[in-house]
């Protein structure tokens, strides 16, 4: 039988590939996974959703092509080739295909793509050598850069004293701790401005995003267990992060691998933009300083369309594709899109100009899924495409909410000697707080002193 | 089965090594055709090609086709690859020519046509046309499909009510690479090198190459450039369509002083058909189509959350639809020249609706508006995972209506193996109703797909019915050998034409007649 007519499903998420045969089989090749929703189309130039397909154009690079590959691997008619790993890993797992498919159809393309990577690792064929290096770094130093674990909290400014005990735990993440310290510092300034105490933990380890996204799930699980233990011991009620990768990993992948739901984690996970939005609306944070700037906002994939909570489901599927009990489908509807925009709207002088591909239709920055490490040229191409789109709005700067997005867009700006600038939203907010929120004389000095290791 | 080494090297020299591959993983991405065929034929219908090449120009396509002739390599051109009939390889040494790199589009605003290459999608053409006060048909398969191949195949969509069916009205001149690798200009392009007209002054070969017995899937070579007629819409300053909401229910907000959708319900099928005649006779409207109730139960409408929810809710409501005779017509009015034009047409539409005893007359919902750019065949798959249109009609309104009603009786014989969608399919219209197009859709599960199960048995019943009723032939390959002798042995003539143009049998053999796997 090409596909099981009835199936009992014990869990979804990080499952072996054969448990996703149904989704691979029922891909009808409509092409939604390649093109954005037409209602968002503004120009023929920026019509695509899938960066891998957009760059390489062979159907194999799209989700549709990978469904065919998955089915053939399960049928034993396709083995590993050098190009196979290229197709599987030259993809940010941005989820654009997943959301575009699900606007019409009940399927799980992203789960299949993740499972292809798990299979590659299980079969000893993957991941890419650069991803192995990430794991080795993690095992030695608890961060993806291989730098001293003792430096993880070096970003903490002298004037900020994290609390020993508080309701909020700030989960910094590797990128903000080691590479984009200005984001961590700005976040700390924001907590101070809001008058809230927050903890940081010297026991924090990498969230595990790069392990999950490259199929190294066993390594990821160890990080999950450690970090959840750390969070529990801290007594935190809320875990706040300023990194979209950490956000999605903790909110979605942690419960997913544990066969739980996000609401069962035992704490609330928030992105800093959600905290900011709440604080501004409640009056806890005021933004008196005006910043005269035309900006556009880049939705990080892992905060936006992949930022919805995970709900554990188990049950049966009949031959018609009906699920009992009913399954809730994550279609990108409840991602975090509005809070960052409302935050930008609260900053006087900021004029927000939207690109065509926004929210659940956003074009990826190019950094995720291990692509920045294994295929830096491709990552740069993706970011350059995003900059081209940003420039069409007339924006002077592109604002984002993830250190990985910021880094890759900055690299593209530098490579192309572009005039457009990129900021993390926390940096803008700190500027808008006024001089007391920022001890540096200029934002440029802040950037210079805190960039890099 | 690999292609000869010399042939591969020749392909590399034409397109560059980056754009040709024989890696099995790359080739696997082209192994299955679109639509329902992947279910019907699987696994025997799933055969990866030996090689894939992506040309960027007509000259590269020509060079590739000549290589195929030299080395006797069968080729299959692919655009979206979603066409139902044979968009998958059928020979182990087949070369897929993926046309997606060819994405040029030139719009002649003054003369109202667009010259497009095979990679341009409907959505891309729409947004550029709107900026110039023009527009084009929106096809059922969705805005992500490719204009050239879809238009040349049939280009069907409700906006054809005024814009006409593709081959008759909208397909102008084009450039054709024949199966032996000659470049032929068709229509005005052949004489004056302009693409404004398909019927002359040069040769008009559109009839020979059109539809599923023509050049579709490369049976008669590859069309590399085509002009499509565009139509006046509204000034760009008025044609502002802002997007709202979020997936899956994101929609376009239309300028309602110039564009409006109406949903009109009638007390009986016959009254609805009468109303259609009157609307067409009045020559108002930009689009009309009938709406089977199950179309309302799509996730994108916001009325259901999933397929499971769709089936639970529809199963509960089915009897109500049967009992209350749910006959709904959806009409699009556009004030092309003014708001007053829209207001006039609305008054005429209301009058007709009242005369025909309409039980409700309402403006469409925001999601309905989005059909102006995003008709969404993929959503229809979400009833059971796959579907097919078992019966078609391309005829007068009343005959089409009768065919669909009779098709429902055939479907009902096979319920519950075929899902009881309690409808008579759907219809839309061309040239102010001078032609009506009807599709009767059946929903089924994979295990009932083989020809000896419910799907196949119902299909043969539809074929027999169509022959007896002298209806449009079902678009299923098995019918050709049956029907050929009944229609002046057209299959014999087609075979002769195919041999003349494709002596080396490389243009997706054995197209156009026989289709493998079915």
């Amino acid at each position: 039988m090409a596909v099981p007519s009835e199936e009992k499903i014990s869990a979804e998420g990080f499952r072996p590939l054969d448990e996703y045969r149904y989704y691979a089989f029922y891909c009808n090749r409509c092409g939604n996974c390649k093109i954005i929703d037409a209602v968002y189309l503004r120009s023929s130039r920026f019509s695509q959703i899938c960066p891998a397909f957009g760059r390489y154009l062979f159907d194999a690079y799209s989700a549709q092509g990978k469904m065919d590959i998955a089915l053939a691997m399960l049928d034993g008619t396709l083995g590993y080739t050098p190009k196979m790993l290229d197709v599987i890993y030259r993809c940010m797992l941005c989820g654009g295909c997943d959301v575009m498919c699900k606007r019409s159809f009940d399927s799980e393309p992203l789960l299949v793509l993740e499972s292809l990577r798990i299979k590659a690792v299980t079969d000893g064929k993957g991941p890419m050598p650069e991803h192995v290096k990430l794991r080795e770094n993690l095992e030695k130093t608890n961060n993806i850069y291989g730098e001293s674990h003792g430096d993880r909290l070096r970003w903490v400014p002298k004037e900020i004293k994290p609390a020993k005990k508080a309701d909020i735990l700030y989960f910094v993440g590797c990128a903000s701790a080691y590479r984009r310290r200005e984001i961590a510092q700005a976040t700390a300034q924001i907590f101070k401005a809001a008058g809230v105490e927050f903890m940081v933990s010297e026991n924090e380890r990498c969230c595990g995003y790069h392990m999950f996204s490259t199929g190294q799930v066993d390594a990821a699980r160890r990080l999950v267990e450690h970090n959840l233990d750390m969070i529990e011991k801290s007594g935190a009620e809320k875990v706040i992060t300023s990194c979209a990768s950490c956000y999605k990993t903790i909110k979605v992948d942690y419960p997913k691998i544990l066969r739980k739901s996000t609401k069962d984690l035992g704490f609330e996970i928030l992105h800093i933009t959600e905290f900011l939005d709440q604080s501004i609306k409640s009056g806890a944070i005021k933004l008196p300083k005006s910043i005269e700037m035309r900006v556009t906002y880049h939705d990080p994939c892992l905060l936006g369309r992949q930022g919805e909570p995970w709900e554990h489901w188990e049950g049966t599927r009949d031959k018609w594709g009906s699920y009992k009990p009913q399954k809730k489908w994550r279609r990108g509807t409840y991602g975090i899109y509005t809070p960052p925009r409302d935050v930008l709207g609260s900053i006087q002088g900021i004029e927000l100009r939207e690109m065509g591909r926004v929210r659940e239709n956003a074009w990826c920055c190019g950094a995720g899924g291990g692509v920045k490490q294994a295929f830096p040229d491709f990552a740069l191409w993706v970011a350059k495409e995003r900059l081209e789109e940003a420039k069409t709005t007339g924006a002077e700067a592109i604002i984002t909410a993830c250190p990985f997005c910021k880094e890759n867009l900055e690299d593209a700006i530098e490579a192309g000697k572009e005039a457009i600038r990129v900021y993390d939203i926390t940096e803008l907010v700190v500027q808008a707080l006024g001089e007391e929120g920022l001890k540096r004389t200029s934002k440029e000095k802040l950037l210079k002193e805190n960039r890099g290791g | 089965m690999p292609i000869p080494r010399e042939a591969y090297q020749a392909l590399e020299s034409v397109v560059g090594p980056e754009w040709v591959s024989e890696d099995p993983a790359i080739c696997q991405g082209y192994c299955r055709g679109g639509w329902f065929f992947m279910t019907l034929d699987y696994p025997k219908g799933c055969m990866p090609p030996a090689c894939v090449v992506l040309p960027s120009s007509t000259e590269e396509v020509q060079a590739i086709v000549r290589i195929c002739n030299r080395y006797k390599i069968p080729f299959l051109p692919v655009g979206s690859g979603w066409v139902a009939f044979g968009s998958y390889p059928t020979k182990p040494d087949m070369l897929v020519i993926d046309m997606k790199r060819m994405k040029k589009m030139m719009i002649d605003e003054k003369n109202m046509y667009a010259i497009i290459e095979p990679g341009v999608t409907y959505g891309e053409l729409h947004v550029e046309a709107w900026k110039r006060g023009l527009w084009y048909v929106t096809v059922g398969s969705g805005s992500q499909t490719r204009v050239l191949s879809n238009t040349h195949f049939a280009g069907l969509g409700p906006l054809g009510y005024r814009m006409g069916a593709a081959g008759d009205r909208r397909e102008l001149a084009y450039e054709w690479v024949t199966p032996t690798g000659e470049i032929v200009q068709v229509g005005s392009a052949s004489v004056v090198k302009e693409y404004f007209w398909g019927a002359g002054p040069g040769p008009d070969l559109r009839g020979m190459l059109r539809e599923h017995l023509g050049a579709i899937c490369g049976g008669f070579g590859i069309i590399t450039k085509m002009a499509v007629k565009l139509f006046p819409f509204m000034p760009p300053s008025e044609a502002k369509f802002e997007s709202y909401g979020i997936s899956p229910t994101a929609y376009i907000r239309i300028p309602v002083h110039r564009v409006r959708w109406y949903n009109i319900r009638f007390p009986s099928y016959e009254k609805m058909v009468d109303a259609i005649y009157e609307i067409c006779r009045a020559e108002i409207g930009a689009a009309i189509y009938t709406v089977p109730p199950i179309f309302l139960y799509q996730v994108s409408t916001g009325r259901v959350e999933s397929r499971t929810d769709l089936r639970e809710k529809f199963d509960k409501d089915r009897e109500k639809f049967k009992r209350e005779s749910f006959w709904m017509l959806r009409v699009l009015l556009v004030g092309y020249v003014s708001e007053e034009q829209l207001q006039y047409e609305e008054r005429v539409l209301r009058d007709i609706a009242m005369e025909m005893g309409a039980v409700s007359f309402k403006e469409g919902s925001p999601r309905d508006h989005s059909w102006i750019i995003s008709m969404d065949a993929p959503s229809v798959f979400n009833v059971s995972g796959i579907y097919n249109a078992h019966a078609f009609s391309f005829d007068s309104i009343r005959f089409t209506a009768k065919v669909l009603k009779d098709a429902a009786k055939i479907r009902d014989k096979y319920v519950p193996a075929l899902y009881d969608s309690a409808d008579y399919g759907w219809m839309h219209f061309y040239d102010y109703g001078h032609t009506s197009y009807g599709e009767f859709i059946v929903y089924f599960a994979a295990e009932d797909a083989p020809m000896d199960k419910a799907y196949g048995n119902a299909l043969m019943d539809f074929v027999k019915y169509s022959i007896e009723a002298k209806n449009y032939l079902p678009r299923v390959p098995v019918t050709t050998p049956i029907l050929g002798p009944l229609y002046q042995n057209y299959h014999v003539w087609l075979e002769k034409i195919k041999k003349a143009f494709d002596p080396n049998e490389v243009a997706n053999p054995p197209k156009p007649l026989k289709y493998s796997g079915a």
Side-chain angles (χ1 to χ4, degrees), chain B residues 183-261:
Chain B
I183 297 177
V184 175
Q185 312 279 354
V186 170
S188 59
S190 68
V191 175
V192 296
K193 307 298 176 205
E194 299 279 350
Y195 280 71
F196 56 84
W197 197 236
D204 177 3
L205 299 168
R206 292 174 300 172
M208 189 186 91
L209 299 176
R210 190 181 304 142
E211 256 267 353
H212 67 290
L213 293 181
I216 192 70
C217 301
F220 275 114
I222 304 172
I223 295 172
T224 54
K225 195 185 294 181
M226 178 194 284
V228 293
K229 181 97 191 83
L230 301 177
F231 296 83
F233 190 30
M234 285 184 288
S237 57
E238 299 271 358
K240 293 230 182 285
F241 298 101
E242 300 295 330
S243 51
Y244 286 88
I246 199 101
S247 195
T249 55
Y251 62 94
I252 276 183
R253 192 167 288 173
I254 55 178
V256 292
H257 62 293
R258 296 292 285 266
V259 182
R260 280 196 208 135
W261 283 99

Side-chain angles (χ1 to χ4, degrees), chain A residues 353-383:
Chain A
R353 295 182 174 189
E354 297 273 21
M355 293 180 274
R357 294 180 297 187
V358 292
R359 290 192 281 272
E360 78 279 21
N361 284 259
W363 178 260
C364 182
C365 75
V371 166
K372 181 74 170 166
Q373 291 78 18
F375 308 105
D377 289 346
F378 174 45
L380 209 60
W381 178 88
V382 178

Side-chain angles (χ1 to χ4, degrees), chain B residues 430-482:
Chain B
Y430 293 89
D431 300 309
Y432 290 115
H434 288 279
T435 307
S436 167
Y437 175 73
E439 275 185 1
F440 189 83
I441 297 175
V442 298
Y443 307 96
F444 54 100
E447 66 182 45
D448 294 310
M451 288 302 288
D452 60 346
K453 298 272 174 83
Y455 167 90
N457 292 331
L459 178 63
M460 292 318 294
D461 281 357
F462 283 120
V463 169
K464 287 178 203 155
Y465 166 82
S466 292
I467 294 170
E468 283 161 14
K470 295 186 170 44
N471 181 37
Y472 182 78
L473 312 176
R475 281 196 232 139
V476 183
V478 294
T479 59
T480 300
I482 299 169

Side-chain angles (χ1 to χ4, degrees), chain A residues 1-6 21-48 53 55-61 64-73 75 77-79 81-85 87 99-107 317-329 331-335 337 356 358-361, chain B residues 18-21 23-36 38-39 42-43 52-54 78-82 87 98 100-101 103 105 121-125 127-128 130-131 141 143-146 241-252 299-300 305-309 311-312 367 370 373-374 376 378-386 416-419 443-448:
Chain A
M1 168 56 79
V3 64
S5 63
E6 288 191 6
R21 185 185 182 90
Y22 182 90
Y23 299 130
F25 179 80
Y26 272 102
C27 168
N28 58 64
R29 218 184 199 288
C30 71
N32 273 356
C33 56
K34 301 164 184 165
I35 305 283
I36 68 169
D37 189 332
V39 304
Y40 281 78
L41 261 178
R42 294 291 170 271
S43 75
S44 54
R45 169 71 176 85
F46 302 109
S47 61
Q48 309 216 352
F53 172 74
R55 170 67 181 86
Y56 300 107
L57 292 177
F58 289 101
D59 280 349
Y61 285 97
Q64 165 262 304
K66 291 186 204 117
M67 298 301 122
D68 288 338
I69 286 171
L71 209 51
M73 291 177 86
D75 288 341
T77 57
L78 182 66
T81 67
K83 219 45 175 174
M84 167 81 84
L85 292 181
V87 166
V99 167
M100 291 303 112
C101 178
K102 283 169 171 168
R103 66 182 172 83
S104 306
F105 197 65
D106 290 359
S107 188
R317 178 180 53 229
D318 69 10
K319 70 171 187 177
W320 299 97
S322 291
Y323 291 74
K324 280 191 170 42
Q326 278 211 36
K327 177 179 132 149
K328 247 181 133 70
W329 295 83
R331 302 185 199 270
T333 312
Y334 302 106
Y337 309 112
V358 292
R359 290 192 281 272
E360 78 279 21
N361 284 259
Chain B
E18 185 185 355
W19 300 111
V20 59
S21 177
D23 187 279
I26 297 290
C27 293
Q28 195 68 37
Y30 298 88
C31 73
R32 292 194 293 168
W35 220 268
F36 67 97
M38 80 290 188
T39 311
Y42 193 85
V52 182
V53 66
L54 278 75
V78 166
S80 309
W82 201 33
S87 58
D98 186 339
K100 291 197 265 304
R101 275 179 80 200
K103 282 189 74 77
M105 170 170 35
T121 66
Y122 273 99
E124 290 162 353
L125 176 59
V127 293
E128 297 302 335
W130 284 350
K131 290 175 190 170
S141 48
S143 59
Q144 81 285 4
T145 49
R146 314 282 159 173
F241 298 101
E242 300 295 330
S243 51
Y244 286 88
I246 199 101
S247 195
T249 55
Y251 62 94
I252 276 183
V299 168
S300 58
E305 295 198 358
S306 65
R307 185 186 308 171
T308 310
D309 196 31
R311 297 174 68 86
E312 282 186 12
R367 186 62 199 172
S370 302
I373 188 170
S374 184
D376 198 5
S379 288
V380 184
F381 279 88
N382 212 32
V383 175
S384 67
I386 41 175
L418 298 184
Y419 188 64
Y443 307 96
F444 54 100
E447 66 182 45
D448 294 310

Side-chain angles (χ1 to χ4, degrees), chain B residues 273-309:
Chain B
V273 172
D274 288 342
I276 293 167
Y277 265 106
E278 292 307 314
I279 294 168
C280 295
R281 208 191 313 266
E283 293 192 353
I284 60 166
I288 312 175
Y289 61 96
T290 64
V291 183
I294 200 149
F295 277 14
L296 304 177
Y297 289 68
Q298 292 170 359
V299 168
S300 58
T301 65
R303 293 186 181 92
V304 297
E305 295 198 358
S306 65
R307 185 186 308 171
T308 310
D309 196 31

